[in-house]
Amino acid sequence: RGSGIPQAKTALFIRDGFISLRTVIGKFSMCSITLASGLALGREGPSVQVGAGIASVLGRRLGLSPASVKSLVPVGAAAALAAAFNTPIAAVLFTLEEVMGDMHAPVLGSIVLSSATSWMVLHLLLGDEPLFHVPAYQLKSPVEFATYAILGLIGGFVSVAFVKLLLWQRKKFLAMPIRTRWFQPVAGGITVGLLGWFAPDVLGVGYGAVGQALNGHMVLGTMALLVCLKLVATATCYSSGNAGGIFGPALFIGAMLGGAVGSVAHIVMPAYTGNVGAYALVGMGAAFAGIIRVPLTSVIMIFEVTRDYTIIVPLMIANLLSYYVSSRLQEEPIYEGLLHQ
């Protein structure tokens, strides 16, 4: 169930890196069904557990010591994330920031090597394509820095709302009788089905809609509505026990939020604001930083998935403010909360 990142951290720090082959196969197959059926969850989080599990299984089959198997878990996680997002640098940073919790981990060299190798294999098989194609953005006026700061603050509040809703719902589902656990995921399916009936963009990861927002092809009302609907849909899907992650939905929520804020700013100050797509791009980073709580990874990841460096300073401002608001209003990060549950 879920993204698998809390389970991978549990395996790393409590079980000497033990992840069973059954877990790997189950996560891979269940997540594939989840994504294919249109549930509002992502593929990147589960890939971390699958990659870590493959490394754990191989290490044990090769007869390595428990310490060596444990050290292989973050190596496998970084390799899988690098391929899932096509972001080798961000994969290294996320593994160190979130999975290991140590930016100076002894296995840093192995993590870098695995991420780079995974990225090379990905390019040999699928070619050299970024996750999103975006036009060139540029800062139109220094006044925009204030607008990006406001976007960061709003992104922080939206991130807190998402995390609190997800943890609250997950707590309620876990409190239900164990005999109900096998059909609890139906609640997520029904929720997404009903919302998707009226707003089809809620279905699935939603990267197609994100691409439209980044290129300025979505209207204000639609983006504002999708922020609310995706937030509810993803929180319910995840908390009810479906297999899937929150990376992709976090980027979706951020893109729609940024696009909506950028549209309002363009209506109020048309002479001082640039392309709405630029705000969608910054919003992606702000939501990722606020929800996942990895500020450094979020900056590098947005740069890697778009290969656009021109918007880096507004991105840093928005990410920092979103991270600050989120950490003050929701002290426990989402993966820590799920781990404790």
Side-chain angles (χ1 to χ4, degrees):
R1 296 175 299 200
S3 69
I5 292 177
Q7 292 90 328
K9 293 176 68 173
T10 300
L12 177 63
F13 294 108
I14 298 178
R15 300 172 183 165
D16 288 327
F18 179 86
I19 300 175
S20 68
L21 178 60
R22 179 181 178 181
T23 298
V24 174
I25 296 173
K27 190 61 152 187
F28 182 89
S29 57
M30 291 303 98
C31 189
S32 299
I33 295 171
T34 296
L35 296 175
S37 65
L39 292 185
L41 294 171
R43 65 174 185 249
E44 292 81 12
S47 72
V48 171
Q49 188 183 20
V50 171
I54 290 173
S56 175
V57 171
L58 287 176
R60 298 196 307 275
R61 294 292 172 87
L62 292 172
L64 301 181
S65 66
S68 297
V69 172
K70 182 178 179 179
S71 67
L72 279 177
V73 167
V75 174
L81 190 58
F85 257 136
N86 193 9
T87 54
I89 303 175
V92 171
L93 292 176
F94 178 83
T95 303
L96 296 175
E97 268 192 299
E98 177 59 39
V99 179
M100 302 279 304
D102 181 9
M103 294 297 287
H104 303 284
V107 292
L108 172 60
S110 300
I111 291 173
V112 171
L113 183 61
S114 71
S115 179
T117 306
S118 174
W119 182 82
M120 286 189 290
V121 173
L122 173 72
H123 278 229
L124 287 173
L125 297 177
L126 299 180
D128 184 16
E129 288 291 330
L131 189 58
F132 301 109
H133 291 277
V134 299
Y137 299 132
Q138 61 181 1
L139 194 68
K140 195 167 184 179
S141 167
V143 176
E144 283 195 280
F145 283 119
T147 309
Y148 284 118
I150 293 172
L151 172 56
L153 293 174
I154 297 174
F157 287 114
V158 171
S159 299
V160 170
F162 176 80
V163 174
K164 286 186 177 294
L165 176 63
L166 191 151
L167 292 177
W168 176 79
Q169 284 186 308
R170 188 80 189 113
K171 182 179 179 181
K172 295 298 182 182
F173 277 109
L174 289 173
M176 296 174 68
I178 294 179
R179 66 177 181 274
T180 68
R181 198 159 292 179
W182 70 272
F183 64 83
Q184 287 178 9
V186 173
I190 292 175
T191 300
V192 174
L194 291 174
L195 295 178
W197 182 273
F198 300 100
D201 285 332
V202 172
L203 299 172
V205 183
Y207 283 159
V210 171
Q212 293 181 44
L214 290 173
N215 287 274
H217 296 158
M218 296 192 76
V219 297
L220 170 59
T222 301
M223 290 187 288
L225 177 63
L226 286 174
V227 171
C228 302
L229 296 184
K230 192 73 167 184
L231 189 149
V232 173
T234 299
T236 307
C237 282
Y238 192 103
S239 60
S240 61
N242 287 285
I246 57 176
F247 279 24
L251 295 179
F252 181 98
I253 292 170
M256 298 305 146
L257 176 66
V261 171
S263 297
V264 172
H266 196 67
I267 293 172
V268 176
M269 303 180 298
Y272 297 97
T273 52
N275 193 304
V276 171
Y279 290 89
L281 179 61
V282 173
M284 288 169 63
F288 197 87
I291 293 173
I292 310 298
R293 293 283 184 87
V294 280
L296 184 58
T297 300
S298 63
V299 172
I300 301 301
M301 180 172 289
I302 300 304
F303 164 61
E304 284 193 289
V305 298
T306 62
R307 299 184 186 173
D308 183 9
Y309 188 77
T310 57
I311 207 74
I312 196 74
V313 174
L315 183 63
M316 292 168 65
I317 293 172
N319 282 19
L320 177 62
L321 290 171
S322 177
Y323 178 82
Y324 175 77
V325 171
S326 178
S327 60
R328 293 301 297 267
L329 298 182
Q330 171 64 35
E331 293 186 5
E332 188 176 48
I334 187 167
Y335 289 128
E336 293 297 325
L338 290 169
L339 195 59
H340 291 156
Q341 288 184 347

